[in-house]
Amino acid sequence: MKVLIVDDERAIRNSLKEILVEEGYDVDVAEDGLIALQMVDIEKYNVIFCDIKMPNMDGEEVLEKLIGKGIDSAIVMVSGHGDIETAVRCIKKGAFDFIQKPLDLNRLLITLKNATDKVSLVKETKILKKKVYGQPMIGESAPMLHIKDMIEKVAQTDARVLILGPNGSGKELVARSLYQQSKRSAMPFVEVNCAAIPSELIESELFGHEKGSFTSAVKQHKGKFEQADGGTLFLDEIGDMSLAAQAKVLRVLQERKLSRVGSDKDIEVDVRVIAATNKDLQKEIAEGNFREDLYYRLSAIVIPVPSLDDRKEDIPLLVNHFVEKNCSESGMLRKSFSDEAIKMLQAKSWPGNIRELGNVVERLLILGDSIISAQNVRDYVNI
């Protein structure tokens, strides 16, 4: 666990560091708030002890700036002139706790343990939420603002949405954002990658099967449509779905009913369908690979997702996002990117889109200097 002590009195910060190092903590010190803020930009700390009365910038202002940065650290305020009013004010501003000088060793260690437990819990919760809901949509470019505006307008309806865009551009994030903002967000979100399921199994996967309906059907199975009942079904890479499966999907969309493989019984389902593909469906229709009537059923709303090359102004925000993501999830040393490095990344073509950028940022965090330079980009990125 990494701890930062911010105090203008050298004797206090050094003695506190000595105590915590003996307890097994990795400890850094800062003599004022300005230095602490610079250190937090470079290093990630689990717990920060911050004195209130300091020159240049007092502890309450430091607290406000740290909270404004959105850091996950638990911030413990320390004061020799503390009162209840000050303590309450600091807690309201986002401090984890407030302790008074002279510091009681037992109280200090208990507070530190509670703070580290809280940070671990917050981290685990964020990871779980990302696994369930996916990553947030990052970007303030004109194309991204247009997409966010469309999502806000469409999410609360049950309109079917077709998301178009190249591989790695973030189509799944758009689908999950639609789901999270919808009235169905408390119900299941079920994802199907149509390209990853063999054509002979796609019908069983989507619509389910009865026991004994084919050789390996040893028990009854509910398909993805039934699993998503009341919620949202995301059909990713729908352009790769077989024509036979397309016909059955069309029936479900038209009649809101399905029948499992091996059964003639109709089952009613209430599902909002969101589909996505990287293919030109109009071309697929012309070539006989995709049903025109299904296309029109799916495309009440069409959301085109731009390639990264069409929104390069978002690259600085995306780089910061991937730095935070990698450092939070793997405990990797936090690094920053020089302006020259960012400009080089913006000048590069990105055929792999956001997925490729994420891999490049991870590579540079592992191999680059503490401040990732243009030379690091030249050395480790195919420009």
Side-chain angles (χ1 to χ4, degrees):
M1 288 289 181
K2 191 84 174 174
V3 178
L4 175 63
I5 299 165
V6 189
D7 199 304
D8 61 316
E9 296 185 50
R10 180 186 298 176
I12 291 177
R13 63 176 182 266
N14 288 345
S15 61
L16 190 51
K17 177 179 179 178
E18 185 177 336
I19 291 169
L20 297 185
V21 168
E22 288 180 1
E23 293 292 328
Y25 293 94
D26 186 3
V27 183
D28 287 341
V29 295
E31 63 189 48
D32 62 41
L34 292 173
I35 294 174
L37 293 172
Q38 293 170 3
M39 294 173 71
V40 167
D41 285 337
I42 299 172
E43 186 64 82
K44 187 174 182 65
Y45 296 97
N46 302 97
V47 182
I48 299 173
F49 287 95
C50 183
D51 190 24
I52 289 183
K53 297 294 183 181
M54 294 187 295
N56 300 326
M57 183 184 296
D58 68 35
E60 287 192 56
E61 187 178 352
V62 175
L63 171 64
E64 290 173 358
K65 290 185 179 296
L66 289 173
I67 296 298
K69 288 176 178 288
I71 65 172
D72 293 330
S73 312
I75 305 167
V76 180
M77 305 305 293
V78 182
S79 177
H81 312 280
D83 54 45
I84 293 176
E85 189 177 309
T86 304
V88 170
R89 193 166 59 244
C90 289
I91 298 298
K92 284 183 176 180
K93 289 179 179 179
F96 173 75
D97 204 350
F98 182 97
I99 56 179
Q100 287 184 283
K101 297 177 182 177
L103 298 175
D104 177 84
L105 181 57
N106 289 332
R107 169 74 196 282
L108 176 71
L109 295 178
I110 290 171
T111 300
L112 184 54
K113 182 182 184 306
N114 291 339
T116 53
D117 288 346
K118 179 249 185 184
V119 169
S120 298
L121 184 61
V122 169
K123 182 178 178 181
E124 289 171 9
T125 302
K126 284 189 174 182
I127 292 172
L128 285 172
K129 283 185 176 179
K130 286 176 182 177
K131 287 180 179 178
V132 174
Y133 298 119
Q135 302 291 340
M137 291 180 61
I138 306 295
E140 297 298 332
S141 61
M144 287 305 297
L145 292 177
H146 177 63
I147 288 175
K148 290 177 181 179
D149 182 58
M150 287 190 72
I151 289 172
E152 187 176 347
K153 292 176 179 177
V154 173
Q156 287 294 318
T157 73
D158 276 336
R160 299 184 190 108
V161 180
L162 178 62
I163 305 167
L164 304 176
N167 283 334
S169 59
K171 298 187 293 296
E172 182 183 345
L173 296 185
V174 174
R176 288 185 179 273
S177 185
L178 282 164
Y179 162 69
Q180 289 166 40
Q181 296 181 46
S182 76
K183 59 189 177 184
R184 295 174 180 259
S185 59
M187 301 302 286
F189 178 88
V190 178
E191 181 179 357
V192 182
N193 187 332
C194 301
I197 303 172
S199 57
E200 63 272 15
L201 296 178
I202 187 75
E203 291 183 39
S204 170
E205 192 68 20
L206 289 176
F207 311 114
H209 61 251
E210 297 293 343
K211 180 180 179 180
S213 56
F214 50 88
T215 305
S216 59
V218 295
K219 62 180 181 179
Q220 185 189 74
H221 168 68
K222 286 186 177 182
K224 299 297 187 184
F225 270 94
E226 279 188 83
Q227 293 173 31
D229 191 25
T232 302
L233 180 66
F234 176 44
L235 298 175
D236 197 11
E237 304 300 348
I238 197 167
D240 293 283
M241 183 181 287
S242 69
L243 287 169
Q246 289 177 36
K248 289 202 171 185
V249 168
L250 180 63
R251 177 185 177 242
V252 176
L253 297 182
Q254 288 174 331
E255 303 177 12
R256 296 179 177 269
K257 296 178 181 178
L258 61 84
S259 55
R260 297 178 186 145
V261 176
S263 172
D264 295 327
K265 179 183 175 182
D266 282 339
I267 300 170
E268 292 188 1
V269 289
D270 173 25
V271 176
R272 183 189 193 178
V273 173
I274 299 173
T277 183
N278 64 344
K279 292 189 173 182
D280 181 344
L281 290 187
Q282 297 289 358
K283 180 180 177 183
E284 295 296 309
I285 291 168
E287 295 176 355
N289 298 323
F290 200 83
R291 295 180 63 109
E292 187 173 21
D293 47 4
L294 178 59
Y295 171 80
Y296 288 116
R297 282 283 177 180
L298 292 171
S299 59
I301 304 292
V302 177
I303 299 181
V305 180
S307 68
L308 184 55
D309 285 343
D310 291 330
R311 45 176 291 218
K312 287 187 175 180
E313 56 265 54
D314 287 331
I315 285 179
L317 290 174
L318 288 163
V319 168
N320 287 337
H321 165 71
F322 285 122
V323 168
E324 179 62 30
K325 177 178 181 290
N326 281 284
C327 294
S328 297
E329 294 182 2
S330 66
M332 193 181 297
L333 179 65
R334 189 180 183 85
K335 298 180 180 180
S336 59
F337 280 65
S338 71
D339 291 342
E340 292 76 14
I342 292 292
K343 287 177 183 176
M344 288 188 70
L345 294 177
Q346 287 180 300
K348 171 181 162 37
S349 177
W350 296 95
N353 293 292
I354 297 172
R355 190 175 297 139
E356 181 186 1
L357 177 63
N359 291 337
V360 164
V361 171
E362 183 178 14
R363 186 188 314 151
L364 289 168
L365 287 172
I366 294 169
L367 300 175
D369 301 324
S370 59
I371 298 178
I372 294 165
S373 63
Q375 187 59 50
N376 290 150
V377 176
R378 293 188 195 96
D379 291 340
Y380 304 121
V381 181
N382 183 22
I383 298 297

